[in-house]
Amino acid sequence: MLTHRQLRYFVHIVDAGSFSLAAERLFVAQSALSRQVREMEGQLQTPLLQRDTRHLEMTAAGRSLYADARRILAALEDAAVRAAQAQRGIEGTLQLVHSSSVPLGAPILAVLRQHAEQHPGVVVEISQASSEHQALDIHEGRADVGLARAPILRRYGSVHYLPLYEEPLVVAVAASHALAGQAGTTVAALRHECFVATPHLERGGLSHHVAELCRAQGFQPVPAPVRSRKWSQLALVQGGFGIAVVPLSMGRLAPEGVRLLPLQGEGCTSGVMALYRHGAPPLVRHFTDALSRLGAGFASS
C-alpha cells in the first residue's frame, strides 16, 4: 500500500520536473527519492516515470497516480485543518437533543441564531429525546448537548447538569371544561381532575415534578384513560380526555380549543437544564456557554 510520504514525494518530483530539484525542496537525499519511486513502481508493478539525464516524463500510470495523489493530499490537508478547527470549537457538528416539553421558543432560537453567526463552521443537528434518555445519549456519546426538564435522575457521573431558567406552570384545559373561564387555579383544585400525563416510576422530568406538587397537596394525580408524556398531551386535552400541567412555553403551542390557566402557589414553576459531558470539547462548551446566558433572555421573552 502506498504511503502518504510516497505520494507527497511523487507529487514534488513531478512538480519540480527533476529528482534533484525535488530533493532540494524536500530537504532529503536524491537517492531517498529514487528509492521511494522504485518501491512505488514495485508495488504497482508498472513504471511511473520515464527519465534520462535531462528529461523526466510520466507514464500513463504516472499521470493517473499524479492526479489521484494531488486529490488525496489535498483531502488529507483539509481533514487536518478541520480536525484542528473542531478542537478549537470553530468547525464540526454538534448533536443537540431536547425534550418535547422544552420547545424551541424565541430565546432558544435566538441562541441558535447567534451561535450560527459566530461559528459558521459548526452545524447543529437537532432531535428530540426524553429528559432521562438525553443523559444516557450524552453519556454514551450519541448526543453532545441536551435540553431537559428538571428534575433529572442523576445516574451518570460523566454528565454535567447546568440549570438554565425557570418558567411558570399553567393548566391546559379544554374550552368546554368547567375551569376554562377562570383567571387561574391552584394545584389543590385539581384533586379530582384526570391528568393526561402521569410520571414514570423510574424517570424524572415534567410529569414527575407535577406529581410532586400534587402529593404536596395530599393527593396523587388521577390518570386519564388516554395518556401521553409527549407534546401530544395537549391534543388529548383538546379532545376532552383530561387536563395537563405544562410549562408556559409549551402551553403556548396548544391547539385551538385549549385554555391556559396560570397555576398559583409555591413551587409552581418548571426548570430547564442543559446536559453535556464533563470535559466536553470547545465546540460543545461554546454552545453551552451561550445557553448559560439564557436566563435573562427567557425572563424577558
Side-chain angles (χ1 to χ4, degrees), residues 82-102:
R82 286 195 297 271
Q85 290 175 334
Q87 182 60 32
R88 297 198 303 273
I90 61 176
E91 184 171 292
T93 300
L94 186 145
Q95 301 291 340
L96 172 67
V97 292
H98 70 102
S99 166
S100 60
S101 66
V102 185

Side-chain angles (χ1 to χ4, degrees), residues 12-298:
H12 271 279
I13 292 167
V14 173
D15 289 346
S18 74
F19 279 79
S20 58
L21 183 55
E24 290 180 14
R25 292 176 176 175
L26 291 168
F27 301 100
V28 298
Q30 182 174 334
S31 59
L33 293 185
S34 297
R35 183 172 62 254
Q36 291 293 333
V37 172
R38 286 197 300 272
E39 290 181 4
M40 294 170 68
E41 292 175 330
Q43 291 183 59
L44 299 174
Q45 297 184 347
T46 185
L48 299 172
L49 298 172
Q50 294 176 343
R51 49 204 183 270
D52 54 35
T53 56
R54 293 187 176 183
H55 187 64
L56 181 69
E57 185 176 344
M58 289 182 287
T59 65
R63 287 192 293 272
S64 175
L65 179 63
Y66 175 77
D68 288 338
R70 287 188 67 89
R71 285 194 292 271
I72 292 169
L73 292 172
L76 288 173
E77 184 176 349
D78 288 345
V81 170
R82 286 195 297 271
Q85 290 175 334
Q87 182 60 32
R88 297 198 303 273
I90 61 176
E91 184 171 292
T93 300
L94 186 145
Q95 301 291 340
L96 172 67
V97 292
H98 70 102
S99 166
S100 60
S101 66
V102 185
L104 301 183
I108 296 176
L109 291 176
V111 170
L112 287 167
R113 187 176 300 109
Q114 183 183 51
H115 186 269
E117 292 171 353
Q118 295 177 349
H119 305 279
V122 176
V123 175
V124 180
E125 294 187 350
I126 301 174
S127 58
Q128 280 195 9
S130 71
S131 296
E132 291 302 321
H133 284 161
Q134 288 180 34
L136 177 61
D137 287 343
I138 291 168
H139 172 70
E140 295 184 348
R142 290 186 294 273
D144 297 308
V145 180
L147 293 173
R149 282 284 163 191
I152 301 293
L153 304 180
R154 304 192 180 194
R155 296 171 171 170
Y156 308 104
S158 63
V159 178
H160 183 68
Y161 302 81
L162 173 68
L164 295 180
Y165 59 84
E166 295 275 333
E167 61 176 311
L169 288 172
V170 296
V171 182
V173 301
S176 58
H177 195 281
L179 294 174
Q182 297 189 13
T185 189
T186 64
V187 175
L190 306 178
R191 178 181 299 271
H192 301 297
E193 300 293 338
C194 292
F195 288 70
V196 297
T198 54
H200 189 284
L201 292 177
E202 296 182 356
R203 294 181 186 172
L206 176 62
S207 58
H208 185 84
H209 179 49
V210 172
E212 288 180 331
L213 291 174
C214 293
R215 283 193 287 269
Q217 296 298 319
F219 70 97
Q220 292 284 353
V222 178
V226 182
R227 301 186 293 275
S228 172
R229 283 184 293 272
K230 304 295 184 182
W231 185 86
S232 53
Q233 62 186 276
L234 292 172
L236 297 180
V237 171
Q238 181 191 39
F241 289 96
I243 67 164
V245 177
V246 298
L248 179 59
S249 61
M250 183 178 173
R252 286 170 173 166
L253 301 177
E256 186 178 354
V258 174
R259 300 288 183 269
L260 303 178
L261 310 178
L263 191 58
Q264 302 160 351
E266 184 179 355
C268 292
T269 61
S270 175
V272 171
M273 309 184 78
L275 280 57
Y276 58 95
R277 285 184 66 89
H278 287 291
L283 183 148
V284 173
R285 291 307 304 269
H286 288 166
F287 188 74
T288 56
D289 286 347
L291 285 175
S292 69
R293 297 186 286 273
L294 253 180
F298 195 88

